[in-house]
Amino acid sequence: MSSLSSASLLSAPAAAAGSVLETVAPAAPTSRDVPRVLAIAGSDPSGGAGIQADLKSIAAHGGYGMAAITALTAQNTTGVRGVHVPPASFLSAQLDTISDDIHVDAVKIGMLGDAQVIAAVRRWLEKVRPGVVVLDPVMVATSGDRLLQESAEAALVELLPLADLITPNLPELAMLLGEPEAADWAAALDQGKRLAAQTGATVLVKGGHLDGSTCPDALVNTAGLLSAEVVEIAGERITTRNSHGTGCSLSSAMATAQARLGDWEASLRAVKPWLAGALRTSGQLEVGAGNGPINHFHHLSQPERKGGFAELLRAETVADLEAIYGLGFIRGLAEGTLAEKEFAYYLAQDAIYLNGYSRVLARASALAPTESEQLFWAHSAQQCLEVESELHRNWLSTRTVQTELGPVTKAYVDHLVAASAGGSYAVLVAAVLPCFWLYAEVGETLHAEYVAAGAQAGHPYAEWLRTYADEEFAAATLRAIEIADDAGRAASAGERKAMLTAFRQSCRYEVEFFDAPSRHS
């Protein structure tokens, strides 16, 4: 199939798409589409951490954010100058007022300040019992300033068993166990296992404080609640001084993703690439002289995401990307554990699909209004047959595989052919775009995990994963997005609605196509 970049998530279109939203009515969301997420944390007036970071992360992952303030800080990117903790009774009033009126799908707990505040949060959790509770044990700021009174550490430890997920950094993990900070990844995982055993919660062990070119994260649970006791996800280390609020942002993003997906591993696989992008592009913000904030909405800063209709289409990909990253086929492909028969079925169906897809792209070339667009679609059709199919033929020629047309492949190709027969260039462009966009997103993430894992020798799908780094395909994806954006902005209200419908359906077929090998086996 074909296309997209890292899984940066945005489920609400930007203000630039406002004129489009006035004329196109989006499909009514389900409750899981827009989870109601409450952040219980301190305020950061500089906007990079605390409640401010939480609300940005929740919005970036498609949630409706709410906030109960535990503390007021005077801080910026260089440090914390003061902390004021309002009476715990007022925090209780905030929490009760929210839950009396609004169903809370997920809770993220951050800075708590003192023992009285912790006790207030504990009473509320025991009474309301939210479905998802993520606890980020904020004890020390990125700048090194202490944010939790030492007298409150014991109360915080007692609160941990009420959490579903605990997200300490390595210094906080050591403090919670009363031990020295882990010096390497193995020691960190060992501490994570012991904290998980003590609390009964899942612990997210983060490698950000370690040295090296990689930055792994791992979900640890000793009670059998995960697919394994330790589920490790590789990642690259992003060199930047702008890490202010990283822990806050990660924990609130995990709470939001979990409320939508119901699977911690799938949630981390969705959130981790987004966080990497937020760190990688943080310098664009140019905020402060110290540890600057991450770029929560980095997708809005990329040139290819500018233009209202492309942003609206981007919002439509979020849930489907999350679903794709949660599939066993994708995890197995990245880790090299995928059964060969599943990969063979995928390749065989992909070869069939690309044959039909090339014909649809040729139709787009015939309908294109400009010579440059005609040439783009014609070249893309040629690439399907000559370049992308080569790996399929080489791999499949040495193996016996089932080559008949699968039901998902047929349905997807039929959908594209129907779009091409409708006569609308704009609708056809929208229909073919997910095969560029989603494929490139997933591909970039898989390739990054493969490289971060050391491009290990003996990986059975190494050649396939290496193809995802193709710069020509990345450039073609950006061009396809640009064309769709131009077509959407020039289209009538009715045609834009038809474009969205065609795009959504193709996104759904992308998910089904990746899932088909597992279902077939």
Side-chain angles (χ1 to χ4, degrees):
M1 305 208 350
S2 50
S3 87
L4 208 51
S5 73
S6 92
S8 51
L9 304 177
L10 174 67
S11 66
S19 60
V20 176
L21 289 173
E22 291 170 2
T23 57
V24 180
T30 66
S31 60
R32 288 181 67 82
D33 285 337
V34 186
R36 293 148 292 196
V37 183
L38 172 62
I40 306 173
S43 172
D44 172 12
S46 73
I51 284 292
Q52 287 81 354
D54 291 331
L55 293 176
K56 292 172 187 175
S57 294
I58 293 167
H61 287 79
Y64 174 76
M66 301 170 284
I69 310 297
T70 61
L72 304 175
T73 68
Q75 67 173 299
N76 54 29
T77 64
T78 64
V80 180
R81 298 182 183 179
V83 176
H84 171 67
V85 180
S89 59
F90 190 72
L91 173 61
S92 295
Q94 293 181 70
L95 296 172
D96 290 339
T97 301
I98 292 171
S99 57
D100 285 349
D101 177 50
I102 302 169
H103 178 78
V104 179
D105 297 307
V107 174
K108 173 270 169 81
I109 302 170
M111 177 184 176
L112 295 177
D114 62 29
Q116 289 73 32
V117 168
I118 295 172
V121 171
R122 183 188 185 105
R123 287 192 297 270
W124 182 79
L125 289 175
E126 291 172 340
K127 178 176 66 174
V128 175
R129 299 290 181 182
V132 175
V133 177
V134 176
L135 196 158
D136 182 23
V138 177
M139 306 172 82
V140 180
T142 303
S143 60
D145 297 289
R146 190 173 187 89
L147 296 174
L148 178 72
Q149 296 178 7
E150 290 187 46
S151 58
E153 287 185 15
L156 179 62
V157 170
E158 293 176 0
L159 184 66
L160 299 182
L162 293 181
D164 299 300
L165 179 71
I166 306 170
T167 64
N169 57 32
L170 293 190
E172 290 162 347
L173 179 58
M175 292 173 71
L176 292 172
L177 292 168
E179 301 175 0
E181 182 177 339
D184 55 39
W185 184 235
L189 291 178
D190 183 64
Q191 288 187 334
K193 290 177 185 178
R194 282 185 279 114
L195 185 62
Q198 291 178 18
T199 62
T202 298
V203 176
L204 176 56
V205 180
K206 301 179 289 188
H209 281 253
L210 296 174
D211 296 327
S213 59
T214 62
C215 185
D217 291 314
L219 294 163
V220 180
N221 186 284
T222 57
L225 299 181
L226 302 173
S227 60
E229 186 176 71
V230 177
V231 177
E232 185 173 335
I233 298 179
E236 63 176 315
R237 183 171 301 279
I238 309 300
T239 302
T240 177
R241 66 178 177 85
N242 300 314
S243 59
H244 185 53
T246 302
C248 305
S249 302
L250 172 60
S251 55
S252 51
M254 287 293 291
T256 309
Q258 179 68 7
R260 300 181 66 171
L261 300 173
D263 182 293
W264 287 118
E265 184 177 349
S267 296
L268 184 57
R269 289 185 183 278
V271 168
K272 188 174 174 66
W274 165 82
L275 186 61
L279 286 163
R280 189 181 296 110
T281 62
S282 60
Q284 297 174 4
L285 299 180
E286 298 181 352
V287 174
N291 295 308
I294 68 171
N295 188 1
H296 295 85
F297 298 105
H298 48 93
H299 17 62
L300 301 184
S301 300
Q302 297 173 5
E304 68 271 20
R305 303 288 160 80
K306 294 178 180 177
F309 198 73
E311 292 172 4
L312 186 58
L313 293 177
R314 172 63 182 173
E316 294 293 336
T317 69
V318 175
D320 295 303
L321 278 171
E322 290 180 346
I324 288 171
Y325 289 125
L327 295 176
F329 175 85
I330 293 297
R331 295 196 299 271
L333 183 60
E335 297 164 0
T337 58
L338 181 68
E340 184 175 290
K341 65 178 181 178
E342 290 189 34
F343 187 65
Y345 180 82
Y346 167 78
L347 279 191
Q349 293 303 306
D350 206 24
I352 297 170
Y353 170 87
L354 287 173
N355 187 279
Y357 188 60
S358 67
R359 295 196 297 270
V360 173
L361 294 179
R363 175 61 175 163
S365 177
L367 294 174
T370 67
E371 183 179 357
S372 66
E373 291 180 26
Q374 291 170 10
L375 291 173
F376 171 76
W377 295 120
H379 178 69
S380 297
Q382 181 182 13
Q383 290 291 97
C384 282
L385 297 177
E386 293 184 358
V387 179
E388 296 193 39
S389 295
E390 181 180 354
L391 183 59
H392 297 73
R393 288 194 298 268
N394 290 343
W395 202 90
L396 293 171
S397 64
T398 61
R399 295 163 175 84
T400 301
V401 297
Q402 184 177 343
T403 58
E404 66 266 21
L405 178 65
V408 173
T409 307
K410 182 181 186 304
Y412 196 175
V413 172
D414 286 350
H415 162 66
L416 295 175
V417 170
S420 70
S424 169
Y425 175 67
V427 172
L428 177 54
V429 167
V432 302
L433 182 59
C435 191
F436 279 88
W437 205 344
L438 268 70
Y439 192 84
E441 284 277 3
V442 173
E444 181 178 318
T445 301
L446 289 178
H447 183 264
E449 289 192 11
Y450 169 70
V451 172
Q456 62 268 36
H459 193 297
Y461 309 116
E463 186 178 4
W464 184 257
L465 294 176
R466 280 193 290 268
T467 65
Y468 286 133
D470 182 67
E471 294 181 0
E472 184 177 349
F473 181 69
T477 299
L478 297 185
R479 177 59 177 147
I481 295 170
E482 180 182 287
I483 291 173
D485 184 54
D486 290 341
R489 286 185 291 171
S492 66
E495 196 168 31
R496 280 196 294 269
K497 187 173 182 180
M499 289 178 70
L500 279 168
T501 299
F503 183 82
R504 289 184 189 120
Q505 188 59 51
S506 292
C507 286
R508 303 301 181 270
Y509 280 128
E510 287 287 323
V511 180
E512 292 179 19
F513 197 95
F514 280 120
D515 194 33
S518 299
R519 292 183 180 275
H520 176 76
S521 63

